[in-house]
Amino acid sequence: MDFEITKEFFIGAGSSLAACAAGVLGFSRYWISGKASNANDRSQINMLQFLTDELKATKAENKELRDEIEQRDETIRKYWAEIAETKTSLRLIQESQRHLEEQNVLLKEQVSELTASNLELVKQVVELRNSLRVER
């Protein structure tokens, strides 16, 4: 078996080497593209995981804030109930005070009338005594 190295051999070998190089380049592009795609997928998965964790944390914080708002609302409701009760009590006290002031004015008038009547009675008693005295 003799191998002759001819022009056709070189053309065939060159074509084979070119096809092999093209295949290696194509495979390496595919492999690099796959690695990049996998890295991109991992990056997206990591981002989704991060966003999921952030969403959970935000929901937990939101729940805490809602609970805090509910507690504050309850406190505010209690304060408003207290204020309403205090206003009612104040109105009753003011109404009672007004009524007592009116009664006080009426009582002052009655005392004045009784005083005047008493003075008149004393005057009449003195006159009656004077008229009943026997002169000597």
Side-chain angles (χ1 to χ4, degrees):
M1 277 204 197
D2 279 333
F3 287 109
E4 285 186 38
I5 299 179
T6 61
K7 179 167 95 174
E8 288 82 20
F9 171 77
F10 283 115
I11 291 173
S15 296
S16 295
L17 283 176
C20 183
V24 168
L25 286 176
F27 178 75
S28 67
R29 268 192 207 158
Y30 171 76
W31 188 59
I32 290 171
S33 172
K35 276 181 81 175
S37 178
N38 287 343
N40 190 25
D41 289 348
R42 279 192 293 271
S43 174
Q44 287 179 352
I45 289 170
N46 289 340
M47 181 56 75
L48 287 174
Q49 184 62 43
F50 172 76
L51 291 175
T52 302
D53 293 345
E54 284 293 311
L55 182 62
K56 286 179 184 176
T58 304
K59 282 183 178 180
E61 183 181 1
N62 193 10
K63 184 184 181 318
E64 289 175 14
L65 291 174
R66 285 177 190 245
D67 291 344
E68 185 178 327
I69 288 171
E70 190 175 319
Q71 288 174 351
R72 287 182 182 180
D73 284 349
E74 184 60 32
T75 302
I76 289 170
R77 277 189 217 98
K78 287 179 183 176
Y79 285 157
W80 277 111
E82 249 180 71
I83 288 170
E85 187 177 316
T86 304
K87 281 185 175 181
T88 303
S89 297
L90 180 61
R91 280 191 197 121
L92 288 173
I93 290 169
Q94 287 174 336
E95 195 60 33
S96 296
Q97 181 181 0
R98 186 186 61 75
H99 181 69
L100 288 173
E101 286 172 352
E102 288 174 1
Q103 281 184 339
N104 192 24
V105 168
L106 292 174
L107 288 173
K108 281 181 182 179
E109 290 174 2
Q110 287 178 353
V111 165
S112 294
E113 289 175 9
L114 285 173
T115 302
S117 174
N118 194 20
L119 288 175
E120 184 63 31
L121 186 61
V122 167
K123 183 178 168 185
Q124 288 176 1
V125 167
V126 167
E127 287 176 5
L128 184 60
R129 275 189 186 166
N130 286 337
S131 69
L132 291 177
R133 276 194 187 157
V134 179
E135 290 187 20
R136 296 187 191 186

